[in-house]
Amino acid sequence: MSKDDTLQQVTTNLSDWYLSSRDRLTKASSPVFNAPRTEAIDHFRTLGIPGRGNENYLYTDVQKVFSQPYKRHIDPQKIIFSVEDLFHCDIPELDTELILLVNGWFYNNRPPLQILPNGIIYGSLAEAALRYPDMVKSHYTKYADHSTEGLVALNTAFARDGTFIYIPKNGGNEKAFQIVNILLSTEDLFVQHRNLVIVEEGAVARIVVCDHSLSALQYLTNSVTEIYVGKNAELHYYKLQNEHNLSNQFSSSYIHQERDSRVVFNTVSLHGGIVRNNVFVKLNGQGASNETLGLFLADQNQHVDNYTFVDHAEPDCTSSQNFKGVLDDQATGAFTGRILVRQDAQKTEAYQVNNNILLTDEAQMSTRPQLEIYADDVKCSHGATVGQLDENALFYLRTRGIDSREARLLLMHAFGHEILKQVSVKPLQERLEDLVDKRLRGELSRCNNCPVQCET
Amino acid sequence: MLIIKNLRASIEGNEILKGINLEVKAGEVHAIMGPNGSGKSTLSAILAGRDLYQVTAGEVTFEGENLLDLPPEVRARKGIFLGFQYPVEIPGVSMVNFMRTAVNEVRKFRNLPDLSSSDFLKMMREKKALVEIDSGLTSRSVNEGFSGGEKKRNEIFQMAMLEPKLAILDETDSGLDIDALKTVAYGVNRLKTPQNAIIVITHYQRLLDYIVPDVIHVLYQGRIVKTGGKELAFELEEKGYDWIKEPNREIENE
């Protein structure tokens, strides 16, 4: 069977699964989720799983990942373990508002929604859609376009739960929010979750997302996150992917920014099988700024593909993408950075850099800038490098008594530091530095004292 | 301490060193002078272990041991230090982290335990004072954004931290104003003991006003063409390198 046939088969299977589970899905969900389902599955039937024919997925073997026989569930499965006993993040200074998702479901060990005195609401998106349907409805499916992206259509057709964070106008929270995604099961699993973050006008939020897989089984996650950042609001969003070689992840984040808003979106991919990160940014109001960063470390047969699309829809906005990768063994990586500057988006500043280090001859990196500029008064730049470690720097370190291996580690760490130093949550930054160091040394890079024993 | 015999070396088929002979004993300061392109930096790079060059003949021993077989880090641990003409900027590697790693590697080699954090910081403070390096520089990335003078001072600071037996200072004076030159020279002189040796490589005589050598060698076209006392520097200053070049024209015609 050819790859395209296989993908077609997967698309058909998933569509059939929808038909057979539609009644259960709609019965258990808020009308907010149910409203776009039919349209979404219709789009999915047409769009399908993106194959190699899809130019945006040229470098990622989607077929290989989706053709595995995963178990799929419409409802949450009973997980027999106490997450509270197993999991507490040990970064002592990282005192956060915790949201736990297990296999894509809000872990129901606390009220599904926390409502803080300052008006902040966070917890399960399913619950939020039932209790605050208007609030959810005004943003849900507004940014993630299920008419053009097959994976978004698939996620929307089946959406039932995920995380929800709401920061009211001019609000803010001393603590950061921490979303921990845990994969834990006794069977290979297909997981989808849907997340919504609303940062209202003038509000400030910091969000840390940690992805872990706890069982040494095959996983495929297809997640969609919609993020609304209102006028003059600010969001710092950090995503740490620390799964294992059998965990495949397709994550699509859609960031909608209004006037004078500021967003930093940073993805650190430490471990995973096939990882694809989509970040779509729409700068929808004058003076908005967006910084999208990423660091990935891949070895063995891992594959990390970062795709960014920044839409400069309004004038006077600034965007920058800075992605760095270190590839060892036979690992492969890809970066595509699309920047669209619309005709009216004068005085746009858009910058893009992608630097990569290949440690072996077999490692491979594909990098593609895609700039479409229709305005004439703009500053845009892009650059990409694929190279080795700096021999002069290596020699310099060695002449001070530092052996070759240690010198290489120092340089690789320094390479990644440029991305990590921009993490504004200090304890998280220190932990990331430590994790990256351990990862580069080939030591297990799980959080040191975390009782959750992530398999690798 | 260091004995170089008939050392010949080339890069990409071009012979740069054409038979160097040199002996440096503990307690001595040697200066190697010469016009641009004479092979001064090549010699220092080969002594430090740079693998860009092929050694085609000759031998180098350091304390009786064949130096040429050793990787750069082992040479460093045995006590050889190269002060770079162009110190390398390494963004993201902090000076503190770099120096702690280096000092402890050298200590490990000498069967000494790692320095405690407080002892290490104390040592940093002392050595910083010695070379009058700005305290802020050591909290930054290695050489990143340092001025020319700061980079050179940082080289001497590293030398002070690592306490080498043989320090090779490659054009440490280039790009320095007279005040910076004095500070660097002062630092070097303070580090000089009867047990260690220093090779100062320079194009100009002026550094030798402050670091007074026991022996001066003039390197020209890959050979040491003159060796003498410190008065040789004055002669060079007065007559320029053409004076050396004249009687050596036959070398070019070889």
Side-chain angles (χ1 to χ4, degrees):
Chain A
M1 208 186 270
S2 81
K3 289 199 165 185
D4 288 346
D5 289 344
T6 316
L7 277 183
Q8 187 52 53
Q9 192 56 52
V10 172
T11 302
T12 308
N13 289 348
L14 287 165
S15 305
D16 291 350
W17 181 45
Y18 176 80
L19 289 178
S20 62
S21 49
R22 180 176 51 195
D23 291 348
R24 258 165 60 214
L25 261 176
T26 48
K27 224 171 129 186
S29 306
S30 149
V32 179
F33 285 162
N34 291 335
R37 285 195 204 281
T38 311
E39 191 186 290
I41 199 71
D42 286 345
H43 284 304
F44 176 67
R45 266 193 213 99
T46 321
L47 296 163
I49 302 289
R52 294 257 171 160
N54 183 327
E55 214 213 315
N56 294 341
Y57 282 84
L58 272 186
Y59 304 114
T60 294
D61 194 348
V62 185
Q63 188 264 346
K64 185 175 147 194
V65 182
F66 270 83
S67 57
Q68 307 285 331
Y70 305 93
K71 276 282 185 185
R72 305 179 294 231
H73 299 288
I74 291 296
D75 304 300
Q77 302 299 293
K78 197 125 191 101
I79 304 293
I80 311 164
F81 84 119
S82 163
V83 173
E84 281 296 8
D85 287 350
L86 261 177
F87 186 84
H88 71 278
C89 189
D90 76 314
I91 309 179
E93 301 82 10
L94 192 59
D95 187 12
T96 57
E97 314 280 5
L98 183 68
I99 306 173
L100 202 55
L101 291 190
V102 177
N103 302 334
W105 300 93
F106 180 80
Y107 192 77
N108 208 0
N109 61 335
R110 56 178 78 212
L113 275 183
Q114 299 275 353
I115 300 155
L116 302 181
N118 55 17
I120 287 172
I121 307 168
Y122 71 95
S124 153
L125 180 60
E127 184 71 10
L130 289 170
R131 284 174 57 186
Y132 305 99
D134 292 342
M135 186 194 287
V136 174
K137 197 178 163 187
S138 59
H139 296 284
Y140 183 68
T141 69
K142 297 293 182 292
Y143 318 119
D145 186 359
H146 55 259
S147 70
T148 54
E149 295 288 332
L151 291 175
V152 173
L154 177 66
N155 180 287
T156 308
F158 286 95
R160 276 211 48 197
D161 203 2
T163 55
F164 175 73
I165 297 174
Y166 171 80
I167 319 286
K169 188 173 172 181
N170 297 324
N173 203 39
E174 206 166 301
K175 293 182 185 180
F177 297 87
Q178 186 180 20
I179 301 169
V180 178
N181 286 311
I182 284 180
L183 296 173
L184 178 68
S185 65
T186 52
E187 55 196 4
D188 294 347
L189 212 57
F190 176 54
V191 168
Q192 300 200 84
H193 49 94
R194 181 73 174 221
N195 311 291
L196 179 61
V197 174
I198 303 167
V199 186
E200 294 283 22
E201 182 179 332
V204 181
R206 295 175 301 162
I207 299 173
V208 179
V209 181
C210 305
D211 296 335
H212 299 283
S213 34
L214 301 190
S215 331
L217 290 159
Q218 293 244 30
Y219 293 103
L220 169 55
T221 300
N222 175 37
S223 70
V224 173
T225 302
E226 290 180 282
I227 299 170
Y228 170 85
V229 185
K231 198 169 129 187
N232 202 30
E234 184 170 331
L235 171 67
H236 295 252
Y237 191 102
Y238 306 104
K239 188 168 162 63
L240 169 65
Q241 299 174 316
N242 195 10
E243 302 190 324
H244 59 53
N245 293 6
L246 298 174
S247 285
N248 304 303
Q249 183 178 149
F250 290 76
S251 85
S252 302
S253 305
Y254 288 80
I255 306 161
H256 181 93
Q257 291 186 237
E258 292 296 352
R259 188 180 178 131
D260 295 323
S261 61
R262 298 166 302 282
V263 170
V264 176
F265 192 92
N266 196 339
T267 306
V268 177
S269 312
L270 284 181
H271 265 296
I274 289 178
V275 176
R276 163 73 177 221
N277 298 314
N278 295 318
V279 183
F280 296 82
V281 177
K282 183 161 190 186
L283 298 170
N284 200 51
Q286 251 179 299
S289 76
N290 177 283
E291 220 177 308
T292 296
L293 309 140
L295 171 66
F296 67 93
L297 309 171
D299 60 2
Q300 299 172 43
N301 293 309
Q302 296 175 0
H303 175 79
V304 181
D305 182 354
N306 282 298
Y307 177 92
T308 63
F309 180 10
V310 180
D311 180 354
H312 279 265
E314 294 287 331
D316 300 316
C317 294
T318 308
S319 71
S320 71
Q321 299 90 58
N322 189 351
F323 279 79
K324 293 189 131 187
V326 179
L327 296 115
D328 201 352
D329 303 327
Q330 303 86 41
T332 50
F335 171 77
T336 301
R338 189 169 165 209
I339 298 173
L340 170 63
V341 182
R342 293 178 192 265
Q343 202 165 359
D344 296 334
Q346 299 296 357
K347 305 280 183 199
T348 284
E349 289 188 32
Y351 307 103
Q352 183 182 98
V353 190
N354 172 226
N355 296 318
N356 308 283
I357 290 180
L358 303 184
L359 299 175
T360 67
D361 290 342
E362 292 102 314
Q364 270 186 45
M365 180 70 201
S366 310
T367 174
R368 274 196 302 184
Q370 296 180 331
L371 277 65
E372 279 176 68
I373 301 168
Y374 300 103
D376 46 25
D377 184 11
V378 300
K379 277 188 202 162
C380 286
S381 73
H382 66 88
T385 60
V386 179
Q388 282 83 41
L389 292 172
D390 179 353
E391 287 295 330
N392 288 324
L394 273 178
F395 179 64
Y396 189 74
L397 294 171
R398 292 178 72 190
T399 62
R400 301 312 186 235
I402 300 169
D403 67 38
S404 175
R405 178 175 183 267
E406 198 64 30
R408 293 170 73 86
L409 285 167
L410 273 172
L411 291 184
M412 283 190 274
H413 193 103
F415 180 77
H417 177 73
E418 196 196 334
I419 301 296
L420 301 182
K421 75 180 180 191
Q422 308 196 37
V423 173
S424 63
V425 183
K426 197 73 187 161
L428 176 69
Q429 191 216 335
E430 285 165 10
R431 175 51 54 94
L432 284 172
E433 299 266 8
D434 188 44
L435 284 173
V436 165
D437 191 54
K438 285 203 168 68
R439 173 78 173 96
L440 290 169
R441 285 173 190 280
E443 295 166 16
L444 264 180
S445 67
R446 75 169 72 108
C447 295
N448 238 355
N449 303 313
C450 174
V452 175
Q453 302 291 294
C454 306
E455 308 281 341
T456 46
Chain B
M1 182 181 274
L2 179 80
I3 299 170
I4 303 176
K5 281 186 189 155
N6 188 35
L7 180 67
R8 301 178 86 98
S10 48
I11 183 165
E12 289 165 0
N14 295 322
E15 188 163 61
I16 311 282
L17 301 184
K18 299 172 180 170
I20 302 275
N21 292 290
L22 182 67
E23 181 171 358
V24 179
K25 296 194 178 79
E28 291 181 345
V29 176
H30 287 239
I32 296 178
M33 301 185 71
N36 291 328
S38 57
K40 303 191 297 292
S41 288
T42 303
L43 177 62
S44 61
I46 286 173
L47 293 177
R50 185 90 221 222
D51 57 7
L52 284 174
Y53 306 94
Q54 291 87 46
V55 172
T56 51
E59 61 180 61
V60 180
T61 57
F62 179 66
E63 297 193 314
E65 193 177 1
N66 179 8
L67 193 67
L68 298 175
D69 287 344
L70 303 174
E73 59 270 26
V74 176
R75 299 182 195 199
R77 292 168 195 168
K78 284 182 180 292
I80 289 183
F81 178 88
L82 172 64
F84 280 59
Q85 182 179 5
Y86 303 107
V88 184
E89 295 196 14
I90 312 181
V93 176
S94 74
M95 272 303 297
V96 175
N97 199 10
F98 167 48
M99 272 294 103
R100 184 183 291 128
T101 310
V103 166
N104 284 331
E105 286 290 344
V106 171
R107 288 178 65 87
K108 193 163 48 177
F109 190 78
R110 295 176 187 164
N111 288 319
L112 294 168
D114 280 7
L115 276 183
S116 71
S117 266
S118 61
D119 286 347
F120 174 76
L121 291 174
K122 189 165 157 254
M123 182 183 182
M124 289 263 288
R125 264 197 309 277
E126 285 169 12
K127 306 295 186 183
K128 274 195 284 197
L130 185 73
V131 298
E132 296 176 27
I133 191 169
D134 185 345
S135 226
L137 291 183
T138 50
S139 59
R140 285 161 51 182
S141 290
V142 179
N143 291 323
E144 190 186 25
F146 286 25
S147 72
E150 287 168 341
K151 282 180 182 166
K152 294 302 172 72
R153 227 174 271 208
N154 191 18
E155 293 297 287
I156 305 306
F157 167 66
Q158 293 173 41
M159 173 182 163
M161 291 292 287
L162 296 171
E163 298 171 339
K165 292 177 188 160
L166 173 66
I168 304 154
L169 305 176
D170 186 10
E171 307 229 6
T172 299
D173 53 334
S174 67
L176 291 187
D177 62 36
I178 197 71
D179 289 333
L181 186 80
K182 277 184 193 167
T183 320
V184 163
Y186 172 76
V188 171
N189 289 329
R190 289 282 302 271
L191 294 170
K192 193 175 164 272
T193 71
Q195 285 77 44
N196 64 20
I198 299 169
I199 298 176
V200 181
I201 291 174
T202 181
H203 184 81
Y204 302 105
Q205 176 267 338
R206 60 170 195 167
L207 178 66
L208 306 181
D209 291 343
Y210 303 100
I211 303 175
V212 181
D214 300 301
V215 190
I216 293 181
H217 310 274
V218 180
L219 190 62
Y220 180 61
Q221 293 195 343
R223 282 197 184 94
I224 289 176
V225 294
K226 241 182 182 46
T227 294
K230 52 180 175 278
E231 66 286 349
L232 192 53
F234 299 111
E235 219 168 328
L236 278 170
E237 179 76 356
E238 207 174 295
K239 300 179 180 167
Y241 283 113
D242 286 342
W243 166 66
I244 292 297
K245 289 174 187 174
E246 285 302 319
N248 285 290
R249 188 159 286 158
E250 71 274 15
I251 293 173
E252 289 169 44
N253 301 331
E254 256 182 16

